Amino acid sequence: MSTDTTAPLRNIKARRTTLENIVRNLKTAPVSAWFGMIVILIYAIFAIFAPWLAPHSENEVIGKAYEHGSSLALLGTDQIGRDLYSRLIYGARNTIGIAVITTLVSFLVGGSLGVLAALKRGWLDQGVSRVVDAFLAIPVLIFALMMLAVVGKSVVNLIIILALLDATRVFRLSRAVALNAVVMDYVESAKLRGEGMGWIVFKEIVPNILPPLITEFGLRFCFVFLTISALSFLGVGVQPPTADWGSMVAENKTLITFGNPAPLYPAAAIALLTVAVNFVVDWFLHKTSGLRDGK
Amino acid sequence: MHPVLKTVLQRLGLGVLTLFAVSIIIFSSLQMLPGGYAQNILGQGATPETVKNFNHELGLDRPAYVRYVEWIGNAVQGDFGNSYSGTTGTIKRSVSAIIAPRLYNTFFLAAMAAVVAVPLSLLLGVLAALYRNSWYDRIVNSITLTTIAMPEFFIAYLLMFFFAVKHRWFYSLSTVSESTSFWEHVNRATLPALTMTLVIIAHMMRMTRASIINLLASPYIEMAQLKGVSKSQVILRHALPNAWAPIATVIAFNLAYLVVGVVVVEVVYVYPGIGQMMVDAVSSRDMPVVQACALIFAATYILLNLLADIVSITTNPRLLHPK
């Protein structure tokens, strides 16, 4: 048996593939992060497949108002006899969907303005920064309430107002992290190479500022999600009959004085999702910054 | 001029400038109303004459800058004009008269929450920083992370469910009026105050912990430890003078947070404060009331942050003992 007299070369790979990296990272994730990811996944499934998972449709009246849980309606019925459980499932789609769209718009606007301001500096940077400073001095919820009073209550207005208000916060962060990136040698050499603006932004700067922005995306999503829920709860956000968790809490709030925990279900649904996202973000922060205390 | 005084004056100037910018933003938001204000109030059927009369009566036919100067001039004297809800009738309701008792209620509630939350969270935060990575720290850390992520109304309804409905210890609705006595007011406002306390304790504690850990990592603290100064002396003599600034920032940030959180909590407990009033005004599009509330909230927010800045400056050892 002298077929392999020469010692076999170790199989050395130049670098791990993206998939291998993801698997490697997932293996080291703590329990809280796993819990968070699984919860987010379940929410996503419910949001996407709502019509197939819900026993009744969003606005179908199936019985009398304020019935307790039974085989017909798992969690009972709401103030006009709609199935609470089905509305909770549709609520996932509506509430999370609106929050995700809002956060995406705010990152698109705030992020691109931030990177551009860091790259161009000069009057653009000064102008946008001063305006943003003034807006940062007003609490988001108060400002959103005022703007909704002016332009009227509707989902589109809600998304635009919150996205723009949130974009001011995103602008601050993306400008700050992009400022560190634009002074790097690789940006300088790309400029000397004669690369265009698009290349410098998307191939040189964005990949290097992505980790803090992704973490921020998670946190901003939570904030937007909570603000939308609060506004809907106050009756000026998502309007009925759309199933939405915040307004469902408001619709069923009288039940709690009769010892029926109905308004707690949608509120708990909101709380569980934000807790889950926070756990994942916390783990991600720990991994990417390495600046956290302890180790 | 003493450097401390100079920096404080600079900061005050900046604060006034911010307030001015914010008041312009709040004022000009009304101008963005599509179709003009009168059309919205009077409805589509209003004749051009009625619209004109309405605008003239409210003074909306004058140029914007004139109205701004008048509005802000009256506002700093405590006069926010008349509520729109009574304009079509004969009784005019002054915004200030509606706001005043509610503002008192809101500050009452915020003060109640702050009195409990501030000392407690500072203590818990410092302990978590000193015994970091212990079991106490870890448990407190995950509890606060969970509390922060929850919407205020969830905590509020949870407390109401257990403490007012299941066990009838407190009132589930905080109805107070001007004739309510002080202790009765405290009693009725217990649950809303407790809700806000829970919300801000989590924030404050985490921020206190982070800033104290940051401070303890400084080289001069290590130096003091290495030269054999006792643990309590390290904290009291070396860390504390530099800790006032972050602590003031933490307190101000959270009191400002309290200002916003009060809106939702007041609505849950039907507490007659300024937050609930603003929500009602938004629903009925009573703009003078909305603007007055927004200005009060924003001004409180800015002033608290300004106060924190000034405390940080005046306690900064580097500025107090210039070379």
Side-chain angles (χ1 to χ4, degrees):
Chain A
M1 285 301 197
S2 57
T3 44
D4 44 2
T5 43
T6 54
L9 278 170
R10 269 176 59 212
N11 189 11
I12 301 168
K13 261 194 211 162
R15 59 193 295 182
R16 297 187 194 95
T17 62
T18 317
L19 189 70
E20 277 172 337
N21 265 328
I22 292 174
V23 171
R24 245 174 77 92
N25 278 330
L26 282 183
K27 273 183 190 160
T28 60
V31 187
S32 61
W34 270 107
F35 167 79
M37 283 186 282
I38 291 169
V39 169
I40 293 171
L41 190 72
I42 294 172
Y43 271 81
I45 292 172
F46 271 107
I48 294 166
F49 301 106
W52 292 278
L53 291 170
H56 305 281
S57 74
E58 190 174 343
N59 289 312
E60 186 188 349
V61 175
I62 58 159
K64 280 195 228 114
Y66 299 140
E67 271 183 58
H68 284 276
S70 63
S71 55
L72 180 69
L74 200 62
L75 299 176
T77 56
D78 69 358
Q79 83 280 16
I80 55 170
R82 293 170 298 191
D83 180 23
L84 266 182
Y85 178 61
S86 306
R87 281 180 71 76
L88 261 183
I89 295 175
Y90 276 97
R93 170 176 273 208
N94 299 328
T95 316
I96 299 173
I98 293 171
V100 168
I101 294 172
T102 310
T103 321
L104 282 175
V105 174
S106 92
F107 265 77
L108 213 65
V109 177
S112 44
L113 269 178
V115 173
L116 218 63
L119 199 62
K120 291 276 174 196
R121 307 304 302 271
W123 61 266
L124 177 83
D125 185 23
Q126 281 298 323
V128 180
S129 293
R130 291 296 82 77
V131 172
V132 162
D133 280 349
F135 274 87
L136 284 175
I138 312 176
V140 169
L141 190 71
I142 301 301
F143 205 102
L145 274 172
M146 191 180 75
M147 290 312 293
L148 283 168
V150 174
V151 297
K153 309 171 247 186
S154 82
V155 171
V156 179
N157 286 343
L158 184 71
I159 291 177
I160 295 173
I161 290 171
L162 274 184
L164 290 183
L165 287 180
D166 212 51
T168 56
R169 273 77 181 165
V170 177
F171 170 83
R172 275 286 282 267
L173 180 87
S174 57
R175 178 179 170 276
V177 289
L179 269 182
N180 290 331
V182 289
V183 293
M184 290 294 174
D185 289 343
Y186 52 78
V187 175
E188 190 65 22
S189 66
K191 276 183 189 160
L192 292 176
R193 229 164 41 226
E195 301 287 5
M197 183 80 167
W199 175 281
I200 292 175
V201 169
F202 291 106
K203 291 282 180 177
E204 308 287 350
I205 297 176
V206 169
N208 283 293
I209 63 170
L210 215 49
L213 283 187
I214 291 177
T215 322
E216 185 69 5
F217 189 87
L219 292 175
R220 299 290 356 150
F221 168 79
C222 284
F223 184 77
V224 166
F225 184 65
L226 287 176
T227 310
I228 289 178
S229 304
L231 287 170
S232 300
F233 168 73
L234 297 174
V236 293
V238 181
Q239 295 297 307
T242 312
D244 164 84
W245 291 336
S247 28
M248 281 172 72
V249 176
E251 283 163 9
N252 295 298
K253 66 182 174 191
T254 45
L255 282 181
I256 205 154
T257 43
F258 303 109
N260 183 338
L264 289 178
Y265 303 137
I270 297 167
L272 185 62
L273 180 61
T274 40
V275 170
V277 174
N278 262 296
F279 277 151
V280 177
V281 166
D282 205 45
W283 167 59
F284 203 77
L285 256 178
H286 221 103
K287 274 197 72 64
T288 52
S289 70
L291 295 170
R292 297 291 298 266
D293 56 277
K295 286 166 206 134
Chain B
M1 199 194 282
H2 198 276
V4 171
L5 196 64
K6 196 178 160 201
T7 328
V8 166
L9 285 179
Q10 272 175 354
R11 203 49 59 95
L12 276 175
L14 200 66
V16 172
L17 206 66
T18 317
L19 269 174
F20 177 66
V22 164
S23 72
I24 287 186
I25 294 177
I26 291 176
F27 178 78
S28 52
S29 67
L30 184 64
Q31 318 302 316
M32 289 157 64
L33 197 71
Y37 195 80
Q39 206 83 54
N40 276 280
I41 287 283
L42 300 172
Q44 293 297 321
T47 59
E49 284 79 40
T50 3
V51 171
K52 208 176 156 201
N53 279 336
F54 183 84
N55 276 338
H56 185 72
E57 197 176 335
L58 294 179
L60 291 177
D61 50 355
R62 292 169 303 156
Y65 67 91
V66 174
R67 280 181 287 135
Y68 171 75
V69 171
E70 188 189 83
W71 176 69
I72 196 72
N74 288 335
V76 290
Q77 297 170 41
D79 176 14
F80 290 98
N82 290 319
S83 160
Y84 281 177
S85 65
T87 29
T88 39
T90 45
I91 310 158
K92 283 211 185 342
R93 300 201 305 157
S94 140
V95 174
S96 315
I98 313 172
I99 285 184
R102 286 171 167 258
L103 196 60
Y104 166 74
N105 287 344
T106 295
F107 278 126
F108 190 95
L109 182 58
M112 249 179 98
V115 164
V116 182
V118 171
L120 192 61
S121 49
L122 287 181
L123 183 72
L124 292 175
V126 171
L127 285 179
L130 290 180
Y131 302 101
R132 100 183 91 131
N133 292 331
S134 66
W135 273 105
Y136 163 74
D137 182 30
R138 272 179 212 176
I139 291 170
V140 159
N141 208 22
S142 41
I143 291 177
T144 50
L145 190 66
T146 317
T147 330
I148 285 175
M150 287 178 177
E152 285 101 354
F153 53 81
F154 180 59
I155 299 175
Y157 278 120
L158 215 56
L159 289 178
M160 193 198 273
F161 189 67
F162 287 109
F163 294 134
V165 180
K166 289 279 170 195
H167 308 275
R168 301 187 171 272
W169 294 342
F170 299 108
Y171 293 94
S172 60
L173 300 179
S174 315
T175 40
V176 293
S177 66
E178 280 163 52
S179 55
T180 316
S181 72
F182 181 81
W183 289 111
E184 183 65 14
H185 197 151
V186 170
N187 187 14
R188 285 177 187 264
T190 306
L191 274 188
L194 187 62
T195 310
M196 296 209 293
T197 306
L198 282 181
V199 172
I200 64 166
I201 272 188
H203 274 275
M204 273 181 98
M205 234 237 55
R206 283 176 78 88
M207 286 170 69
T208 313
R209 176 181 177 274
S211 52
I212 297 288
I213 284 177
N214 203 6
L215 199 73
L216 293 179
S218 319
Y220 66 85
I221 297 289
E222 198 182 357
M223 175 69 199
Q225 282 166 344
L226 288 177
K227 74 182 182 195
V229 179
S230 72
K231 199 166 183 175
S232 59
Q233 283 294 305
V234 170
I235 302 284
L236 289 177
R237 300 248 339 193
H238 295 261
L240 201 58
N242 281 295
W244 289 120
I247 288 176
T249 315
V250 171
I251 294 178
F253 180 88
N254 284 284
L255 291 185
Y257 186 86
L258 204 66
V259 170
V260 185
V262 86
V263 177
V264 171
V265 173
E266 278 178 8
V267 171
V268 170
Y269 292 103
V270 204
Y271 182 83
I274 192 176
Q276 203 195 21
M277 181 178 180
M278 184 174 182
V279 174
D280 290 344
V282 167
S283 288
S284 59
R285 303 180 89 172
D286 192 346
M287 288 317 290
V289 177
V290 173
Q291 282 183 324
C293 293
L295 196 65
I296 290 173
F297 277 122
T300 318
Y301 194 77
I302 294 168
L303 288 178
L304 282 171
N305 283 313
L306 191 67
L307 201 65
D309 277 350
I310 290 176
V311 170
S312 318
I313 295 165
T314 47
T315 58
N316 188 333
R318 287 183 196 84
L319 283 176
L320 285 177
H321 308 287
K323 278 172 198 155

